[in-house]
Amino acid sequence: MWFFVGSLLILLAGGVLSLCLSGSGLRASRAGAWSAVAGSLLGLVSALAGLGPRTGWDLNLPWSVQGGSLHLGMDPLSAFFLLALFSLSGLAALYGEEYLENHVRPGSEGAAWLFFNGLTASMAVVLTARNALLFLVAWEIMAITSFFLVSQEHEQGRVRQAGWIYLVATHLGTAFLLVFFLLLGSRAGSLEFADFAGPASQGAAAGGLLFLLALVGFGSKAGIVPFHVWLPEAHPAAPSHVSALMSGVMIKTGVYGLVRTLVFLGPPPAWWGWLLVGVGISSGLFGVISALAQHDLKRLLAFSSVENIGIIFLGLGLGELGRYAGSVPLAVAGFGGALLHVLNHSVFKGLLFLDAGAVLRAAGKKSLDSLGGLYKRMPWTGFSFLVGSVAISGLPPLNGFVGEFLIYQACLRGVIQPLRPLSIPALAVIGTLALIGGLAAAVFTKAFGIVFLGEPRSESCSKAHDPGWRMRLPQIILSALCLGLGLLAPWLLLCLGPLLALLTGLPAESVDSSLAASASTLMYVSAAGAGLLILAAGIYLFRRGLLARRTVGEAGTWDCGYIAPDPRMQYTAASFSRPLANLFRQIVPAETHRDTPGELFPRRGKLVSTAVDFFRKYLYDPVFRGIARVADSFLRLQHGNIHIYVLYIAVTLLALLIWKLGVGL
């Protein structure tokens, strides 16, 4: 417990100290970054200790706020999400110290690190809060600190717009959570989590309403479709180490909240599982198709996060169906796959955002069509981006494969169930996962190929180079984690027994037995992956030995005899993905602008293609334009005349007096 409390104190004290040192940018950055690293290391120790079945703790301090208490607790569920948080936050802080050098306004370093440390500490409190009021306060601090981090470069119009979209979206979700906790509290007579379980399970209608409120409230933070619109705006606008933390961990607090809710609400009806599977299918497919159509590297990664949240929801849906049917293997494989994907996504998505930041800082561009040829100039970044791309595509032996493998296993368990309703969603998930996997491979083949292969498309790319060790070390560690978590997956899976027993409410012996069966299958995959890596290393060393005593030269790629090749002749991001994107243009339409050449020997021509977010254009934009028109109609009440305003107050008071007298009568 004291490691966790110490972690919070160091994070907060470091943030305040950094703000106090704002007069010296270097000192402020060092105080903020290294306090975040130290706090994350302490937090990591407390999370690892909390994974055990009997290593939890409880801290309850008095709080003068009505209904609230400073009640924190650690159980395997909190510890698992804290593991993802503290693994990434320390590395992101180390990376951010170098990333922000000469890239923020002088004097703003202290505020930047105060908000970063505040974001990390607030997420830790969200994951350990055991009182609804404390949870909501920490949730709000998390939203506010991340808003200021997203708006760090607020002098740019697009950044301001992204910040406001994020702020509105997160508070709409919070409104649903407020109603959710008020209903739970009124039924339980308390805002303590420990009192929620009994009353919530008394009625099917009340349970269904609470489930829907939690799905919308927490789902808007997680970025499920159609509440995802803030992700592709906020992640590209934020500094890259903040994007890594937001995409890798912050959106998972929505998953944590929903999973914690499922524990409150007790045994589920079948439609909860069906609905979660439907959300997973829509989010996974929409996210990966949208990512395929993007030309901005960070925006592509943001839509990829929507896709991976969809995969997590597929696992949660199958787990809920397993709880409904009383199927231990289905529940364990579904929830196990979802949770492993939570951890693995935090690692490889964090890595990809850090790589994108290194590219942005070296080349000064994040448009795919302005990049190219960076692998020779940035080999460390190029290799780690390749590792992250293989992992996120779900290919063995890296960690992205493990969670999806367990979800596939859950599907097979569902198909062979004697209950027909379970076989239908299981077959749908198999088809969806297969399609997502293929499209994700296409997305990251495009991203890696356009950014790192070929020839530079701009002068800044030709002068790019790898970053310093403070940015490079987190990239190396996260790349190693992608490989390590993939190869050690069977043993990691066996450690999830206490957590899955808590989630499913099943006997620990049954859960452990089911996990052992899944782990034995994964053991063969890990052994094959390790063998493949050893073989590749052997071939590399053999080739290197053969060439050791020979002169090795370099030449340009054969270009069919053409003597004046130009980087503009290379595949662009749009030309690479257009054949696939056209297949899904009904889901993700594109707006195209052409400047068609008309002469016999044209000197220029132009084709600009922009993917359209269907939900933003046809759902949110009309709604918010309508709200803006209604709000504008009230402008006529603003005369700027103080006498008129005094009249408004008098009329309001008179109306309230009449109403009160009417009620009294």
Side-chain angles (χ1 to χ4, degrees):
M1 177 177 73
W2 297 114
F3 280 106
F4 181 79
V5 175
S7 165
L8 291 183
L9 292 177
I10 290 175
L11 284 168
L12 296 176
V16 173
L17 178 62
S18 179
L19 184 65
C20 294
L21 295 173
S22 292
S24 169
L26 181 62
R27 290 181 181 177
S29 291
R30 283 182 179 171
W34 287 102
S35 62
V37 172
S40 298
L41 285 174
L42 276 185
L44 196 56
V45 173
S46 69
L48 288 170
L51 285 173
R54 287 178 288 276
T55 54
W57 49 261
D58 206 62
L59 175 66
N60 197 349
L61 299 174
W63 195 15
S64 59
V65 177
Q66 182 69 32
S69 66
L70 295 174
H71 190 178
L72 302 174
M74 180 76 78
D75 60 10
L77 179 59
S78 295
F80 183 82
F81 280 82
L82 285 172
L83 188 64
L85 167 62
F86 288 124
S87 298
L88 190 56
S89 59
L91 295 173
L94 180 62
Y95 177 98
E97 186 194 0
E98 181 178 335
Y99 181 83
L100 290 179
E101 283 179 0
N102 303 320
H103 279 74
V104 292
R105 295 184 313 282
S108 64
E109 295 90 347
W113 284 108
L114 173 68
F115 294 131
F116 183 89
N117 286 13
L119 174 62
T120 305
S122 60
M123 283 194 285
V125 176
V126 163
L127 298 175
T128 52
R130 295 294 182 267
N131 176 276
L133 194 57
L134 177 63
F135 180 93
L136 288 172
V137 169
W139 188 269
E140 185 64 12
I141 294 173
M142 179 176 72
I144 296 297
T145 50
S146 53
F147 164 72
F148 283 116
L149 288 168
V150 168
S151 307
Q152 194 166 312
E153 299 178 359
H154 56 81
E155 62 276 7
Q156 301 177 32
R158 63 172 185 80
V159 172
R160 287 197 301 275
Q161 184 186 28
W164 289 121
I165 289 174
Y166 170 59
L167 195 65
V168 170
T170 192
H171 281 94
L172 285 176
T174 304
F176 280 86
L177 292 184
L178 193 60
V179 177
F180 167 73
F181 281 117
L182 283 175
L183 288 177
L184 268 179
S186 65
R187 294 173 67 82
S190 162
L191 291 177
E192 291 292 315
F193 283 5
D195 299 327
F196 284 167
S201 58
Q202 286 180 0
L209 175 62
L210 290 168
F211 172 74
L212 290 176
L213 288 170
L215 181 62
V216 176
F218 291 119
S220 62
K221 179 64 75 179
I224 60 173
V225 170
F227 310 112
H228 66 284
V229 289
W230 66 270
L231 261 91
E233 305 298 330
H235 288 345
S240 290
H241 64 294
V242 176
S243 304
L245 193 61
M246 290 177 68
S247 184
V249 183
M250 195 187 77
I251 62 174
K252 309 302 187 337
T253 57
V255 177
Y256 166 81
L258 185 63
V259 172
R260 181 68 71 182
T261 300
L262 297 178
V263 176
F264 293 155
L265 299 184
W271 68 268
W272 292 11
W274 277 83
L275 184 57
L276 290 174
V277 167
V279 168
I281 290 175
S282 58
S283 299
L285 287 178
F286 182 81
V288 74
I289 293 169
S290 298
L292 184 67
Q294 300 305 313
H295 309 319
D296 179 299
L297 183 56
K298 292 182 74 175
R299 198 173 167 83
L300 179 150
L301 295 176
F303 272 112
S304 168
S305 294
V306 178
E307 168 221 329
N308 281 277
I309 286 294
I311 293 174
I312 292 167
F313 271 70
L314 289 177
L316 294 180
L318 291 173
E320 282 294 275
L321 287 172
R323 288 177 71 198
Y324 160 74
S327 168
V328 177
L330 177 57
V332 168
F335 280 120
L339 292 174
L340 279 181
H341 205 71
V342 165
L343 180 63
N344 291 326
H345 181 255
S346 70
V347 173
F348 57 66
K349 186 51 66 67
L351 171 63
L352 289 168
F353 266 113
L354 296 188
D355 290 334
V359 168
L360 174 62
R361 191 173 164 187
K365 302 177 186 302
K366 55 184 177 180
S367 168
L368 295 175
D369 292 332
S370 300
L371 300 167
L374 290 180
Y375 195 87
K376 289 181 181 176
R377 294 156 184 83
M378 304 177 68
W380 286 98
T381 301
F383 183 74
S384 62
F385 193 92
L386 179 62
V387 170
S389 299
V390 174
I392 201 171
S393 300
L395 299 176
L398 300 188
N399 60 339
F401 169 78
V402 181
E404 294 187 27
F405 173 79
L406 280 180
I407 295 174
Y408 272 120
Q409 203 172 52
C411 294
L412 296 177
R413 303 281 188 186
V415 170
I416 62 175
Q417 285 290 318
L419 293 173
R420 182 177 296 178
L422 294 187
S423 62
I424 296 172
L427 288 172
V429 172
I430 289 176
T432 303
L433 266 184
L435 186 55
I436 289 175
L439 290 174
V443 168
F444 284 92
T445 301
K446 176 183 89 168
F448 180 79
I450 300 296
V451 174
F452 291 100
L453 303 183
E455 295 297 324
R457 292 179 173 83
S458 61
E459 186 179 353
S460 59
C461 285
S462 62
K463 297 177 181 175
H465 57 80
D466 267 321
W469 72 269
R470 285 169 296 167
M471 288 176 64
R472 201 185 305 169
L473 184 60
Q475 294 171 287
I476 295 171
I477 292 174
L478 289 173
S479 300
L481 281 175
C482 285
L483 179 60
L485 290 175
L487 293 178
L488 300 177
W491 295 275
L492 178 63
L493 185 61
L494 292 174
C495 295
L496 295 184
L499 170 56
L500 292 175
L502 171 71
L503 277 186
T504 58
L506 296 168
E509 296 77 13
S510 307
V511 172
D512 289 340
S513 172
S514 184
L515 283 177
S518 299
S520 65
T521 310
L522 266 178
M523 200 80 77
Y524 293 109
V525 179
S526 295
L532 185 66
L533 290 174
I534 293 171
L535 178 64
I539 292 173
Y540 172 77
L541 293 174
F542 179 68
R543 177 182 178 275
R544 190 171 177 178
L546 286 178
L547 299 178
R549 297 180 182 177
R550 300 182 186 181
T551 303
V552 179
E554 290 188 1
T557 307
W558 183 60
D559 48 12
C560 304
Y562 187 66
I563 61 172
D566 189 281
R568 291 178 299 171
M569 297 167 63
Q570 301 174 111
Y571 266 96
T572 64
S575 59
F576 182 92
S577 60
R578 195 175 181 84
L580 268 177
N582 277 343
L583 294 175
F584 303 101
R585 61 180 178 275
Q586 302 301 328
I587 301 173
V588 182
E591 290 180 348
T592 304
H593 303 281
R594 300 171 185 269
D595 182 4
T596 309
E599 307 86 14
L600 290 176
F601 299 98
R603 299 186 64 83
R604 57 173 298 170
K606 191 174 182 181
L607 171 66
V608 178
S609 173
T610 308
V612 176
D613 188 330
F614 177 88
F615 293 97
R616 180 173 175 183
K617 182 171 183 177
Y618 298 108
L619 178 61
Y620 292 104
D621 284 354
V623 169
F624 282 96
R625 278 199 297 270
I627 293 174
R629 279 197 295 272
V630 172
D632 287 345
S633 65
F634 286 94
L635 286 175
R636 67 187 65 178
L637 298 176
Q638 292 181 291
H639 298 278
N641 188 333
I642 194 160
H643 297 94
I644 301 294
Y645 295 154
V646 171
L647 178 62
Y648 292 161
I649 294 170
V651 170
T652 305
L653 289 174
L654 183 61
L656 287 173
L657 183 62
I658 294 172
W659 174 74
K660 181 65 179 174
L661 289 174
V663 171
L665 291 173

